[in-house]
Amino acid sequence: MTTQRSDFLILGGGIAGASAGFFLAGRGTVTLLETEDTPGYHATGRSAALFTEYYGNACIRALTRASRAFFENPPPGFAEHPLLTPRGVVAVARDDDEAEFEAALERGRAISPLTREIDAAEVARLCPIVRPGSFARALHRPIVMDVDVHAAHSGFLRGLRAHGGRVVTSAPARAIGREDGVWLVETPVGRFAAPILVNAAGAWADEVAAMAGVAAIGLVAMRRTAITFDPPAGLDPSGWPMVTDIGESIYVKPEGGRLLASPCDETPVPPSDVQPDEIDVATAADRVGTLTTVAIRRIVHRWAGLRSFVADRTVVVGEAPDAPGFFWLAGQGGYGVQTAPAVARAAAALATGEPLPDEVACLGITAADLSPARLISGRAQRQDHDRDGT
């Protein structure tokens, strides 16, 4: 069998693999292998498509902030229309959420001075379906944007190809090995090789590592459910913000002329073509009725996607400490799209022995913050602790 060689071999064609390939393509030859017949089928294609610097831990928020400039001003020809469009978020809180509301308001103001508390009349003006009397306080985050996930993903893939990169679909890895400093991947459509292997396999990243004989990072795939339904007759929701509760147990946002809602579930599941559970669908509908005045008469569409997290809920980017040339790009959780430009730039730099890009490093993020070593060494220390009985 002929071996097809590249400088970089990427496993996974979702937003992580596509964006990494985009930034690596100018540094050498790139081949991206995608298991499915269409890249981005599992997580990227089922994203809620929001760009928000308010969500996630401090590292995720910084990576999102570092990605805004790319989304606002992508390279010429990257997309035919703006990738970000205004959306905003209104978050409401009950009386017993006082402490959480104050913390969210303070954190929000630190992110943007435009974040402010609003009264019930302003909530009704911004989104008339919010149920009156269902909340005690509310805040508005106006800088939150919708992101065109399809355009961003397509732009990364198109740019990868424009720089000579290849995207090979229906190419699941069946065996992974390393010989003479080169990683070898066997697939149904051929054998591929490269000195640098980027593991961007999403929920399957630990399975890819096991196939390669590399220590796992403890990735947990979680199911997230969503439903769409029609707005009340005579109302156009297109200009409404997303509405959520301060504890993030439900959100409702406009989507293609309809409303999209999720109960914000995170149910651990094996990596798979995940499908919605009827209990989660019913929970979503019930919580919509609590947050809003909408009575859902018909669910137009229901689906579920995968969100993959490691223990500290921070993306994993960097070389495996036990496998030279094996680079992790995994654990994006629900933030993979909004952090993609910064994370991919970081991945491309680290994979080629360069320091983190300035737009990432200037926000206080270090390579150690992203490295898989933080997870593997920590797990080893816990195991030693357990064996010692101390």
Side-chain angles (χ1 to χ4, degrees), residues 169-197:
T169 57
S170 301
R174 289 182 171 172
I176 303 174
R178 192 166 184 263
E179 297 178 6
D180 301 323
V182 174
W183 287 97
L184 304 171
V185 178
E186 303 277 357
T187 80
V189 295
R191 191 178 197 229
F192 300 85
I196 302 296
L197 177 65

Side-chain angles (χ1 to χ4, degrees), residues 283-299:
T283 298
D286 179 68
R287 291 178 183 173
V288 167
T290 299
L291 180 65
T292 78
T293 57
V294 177
I296 301 176
R297 291 180 171 81
R298 180 177 70 97
I299 294 175

Side-chain angles (χ1 to χ4, degrees), residues 50 82-89 142-147 238-241:
L50 205 68
L83 296 173
L84 299 182
T85 51
R87 175 58 58 200
V89 169
I143 68 168
V144 174
M145 311 287 275
D146 278 343
V147 56
S238 59
W240 297 348

Side-chain angles (χ1 to χ4, degrees), residues 6 31 75 185 315 326:
S6 306
T31 299
V185 178
V315 63
F326 186 100

Side-chain angles (χ1 to χ4, degrees), residues 78-96:
F78 186 88
E80 296 180 353
H81 52 78
L83 296 173
L84 299 182
T85 51
R87 175 58 58 200
V89 169
V90 168
V92 299
R94 299 184 303 270
D95 286 325
D96 55 356

